[in-house]
Structure formats: structure tokens, C-alpha cells
């Protein structure tokens, strides 16, 4: 048992409680929502405090996205939400209702890997693999952002705003700075993204 404000004992909360496990009179503590996950509409009932990451892992059995720091600092939980990369540990599932979510499992086309996934394999851009799903999702979004001409901190000021951004190693490192690899596979990750960008 933990202590709350004023030192009063507080019962731990089961973050994955289903609708019928919620105490009577607390029905407003749960919501039923639909997410389009990897191209398929999925309806689930979750505690309103459930993060998108926990909804994916615990309710939909999509365990590719990892829970690393649980504070949005490591990027292991990165998924694509309506095509934009997000830290799924920081978003409540209920605020994502109706959105399209792509996890690392949804990037491949059947048995055919996404070009970024292939490049990570070809360039040996992983060691333990824990951060790899988040790195790959972030890299997929990075390629789209650069193709759309979205600048980063290191994009040269003379870059035309209506053209794609050239992905130099510095540009890739800056754009991937929200994803941490404890094994230090960074050089190969940069190489893999450069290969996928070709």
C-alpha cells in the first residue's frame, strides 16, 4: 500500500481494469472507444487513465511498442498517430478515439518488410532490439517529414520551404534525437535511415 497526500494510505489502482471491474457508481471512470489500429477498426473499453501504450500492449496484444522510461524521454513507445510520431506512453487512449494508429507490427505488408525495417536488418542497426520498434516508427515518420519539407533545428536556413529536406547524417541524428538506444547502435541506425531514404 502506498501513501497519498497527508500520508493517508492509498490503494493501488489497476490500470487495466475492465468495465465490469469498476466499482458501482464509478461508470464514468471508463470509456468505450474505437481506434483504427494498423488498418483495422478496434473497439475497446478502458479505464480513462489508460495510456495509448497500455491500450495497445495490454488490451490489443500489440507488444511491439515498448515501455521504456514511461516518461516520454526514451522513444521506445513511439507509434504513428494519424501519420505523426508520438510517444504513446504520454497519451491517454481516450483522447485518441477515432484516430489511426500504426505500430511497428503494421508497417510490413504481409511477409514483406517496410523499407525502413529492411534497412535496419541490412545495416545491423540493432543490438538488444528493445528500442528498435520505436526507432523504426520514428524513422518512418522522419522520412515523411523530410519529404514534406518540414525543417529541423539543423536544416540550413537557405533550404527552400516547398522542397524536400536533404537527409544528411546531422539531419538524421537531430530528427532521431528523441529515441535513445542504450546499446549505442546509433551509427548503424543513421546508416539504415540513409539507405531507406535512397
Amino acid at each position: 500500500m502506498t501513501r497519498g497526500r497527508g500520508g493517508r494510505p492509498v490503494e493501488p489502482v489497476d490500470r487495466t481494469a475492465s468495465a465490469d471491474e469498476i466499482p458501482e457508481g464509478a461508470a464514468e471512470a471508463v470509456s468505450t472507444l474505437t481506434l483504427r489500429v494498423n488498418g483495422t477498426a478496434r473497439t475497446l473499453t478502458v479505464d480513462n487513465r489508460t495510456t495509448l501504450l497500455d491500450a495497445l500492449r495490454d488490451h490489443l496484444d500489440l507488444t511491439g511498442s515498448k515501455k521504456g522510461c514511461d516518461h516520454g524521454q526514451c522513444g521506445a513507445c513511439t507509434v504513428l498517430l494519424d501519420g505523426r510520431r508520438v510517444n504513446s506512453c504520454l497519451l491517454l487512449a481516450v483522447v485518441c478515439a477515432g484516430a489511426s494508429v500504426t505500430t511497428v507490427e503494421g508497417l510490413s505488408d504481409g511477409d514483406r518488410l517496410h523499407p525502413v525495417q529492411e534497412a535496419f536488418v541490412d545495416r545491423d542497426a540493432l543490438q538488444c532490439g528493445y528500442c528498435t520498434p520505436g526507432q523504426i516508427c520514428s524513422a518512418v515518420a522522419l522520412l515523411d517529414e523530410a519529404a514534406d519539407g518540414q525543417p529541423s533545428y539543423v536544416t540550413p536556413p537557405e533550404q527552400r520551404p516547398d522542397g524536400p529536406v536533404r537527409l544528411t547524417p546531422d539531419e538524421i541524428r537531430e530528427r532521431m534525437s528523441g529515441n535513445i538506444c542504450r546499446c549505442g547502435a546509433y551509427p548503424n541506425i543513421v546508416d539504415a535511415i540513409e539507405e531507406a531514404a535512397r
Side-chain angles (χ1 to χ4, degrees):
M1 185 168 302
T2 59
R3 299 276 174 192
R5 256 192 187 152
R8 289 176 291 208
V10 176
E11 289 289 334
V13 176
D14 178 5
R15 295 174 75 185
T16 62
S18 67
D20 38 311
E21 294 171 330
I22 301 298
E24 191 174 330
E28 65 278 359
V30 299
S31 294
T32 299
L33 61 129
T34 301
L35 297 170
R36 186 157 190 80
V37 182
N38 299 329
T40 303
R42 304 289 300 266
T43 301
L44 56 156
T45 301
V46 296
D47 182 301
N48 288 339
R49 297 162 293 184
T50 302
T51 64
L52 177 59
L53 175 62
D54 289 336
L56 293 169
R57 290 181 58 82
D58 300 337
H59 294 269
L60 300 177
D61 295 322
L62 292 169
T63 56
S65 304
K66 302 297 189 245
K67 185 179 283 196
C69 67
D70 212 17
H71 294 289
Q73 296 175 350
C74 72
C77 67
T78 304
V79 298
L80 306 178
L81 184 69
D82 290 333
R84 297 183 59 153
R85 54 183 157 169
V86 297
N87 292 327
S88 61
C89 73
L90 295 182
L91 287 172
L92 295 176
V94 292
V95 301
C96 301
S100 176
V101 179
T102 304
T103 67
V104 71
E105 294 95 337
L107 292 175
S108 61
D109 182 12
D111 290 338
R112 184 173 180 200
L113 295 177
H114 186 281
V116 172
Q117 291 171 313
E118 286 181 352
F120 267 65
V121 172
D122 292 346
R123 294 295 181 154
D124 197 24
L126 57 136
Q127 287 185 34
C128 79
Y130 194 84
C131 74
T132 305
Q135 298 271 3
I136 288 173
C137 285
S138 197
V140 168
L142 173 160
L143 294 173
D144 291 341
E145 292 161 7
D148 289 344
Q150 296 177 29
S152 78
Y153 181 75
V154 299
T155 303
E158 63 274 8
Q159 167 72 40
R160 292 174 45 114
D162 58 346
V165 175
R166 189 169 147 289
L167 287 174
T168 64
D170 282 344
E171 190 77 54
I172 292 169
R173 282 191 287 271
E174 171 63 25
R175 290 173 185 262
M176 291 295 290
S177 63
N179 291 79
I180 295 172
C181 173
R182 291 177 180 164
C183 299
Y186 297 119
N188 293 358
I189 290 170
V190 171
D191 290 347
I193 295 169
E194 282 185 306
E195 179 178 309
R198 291 188 196 117

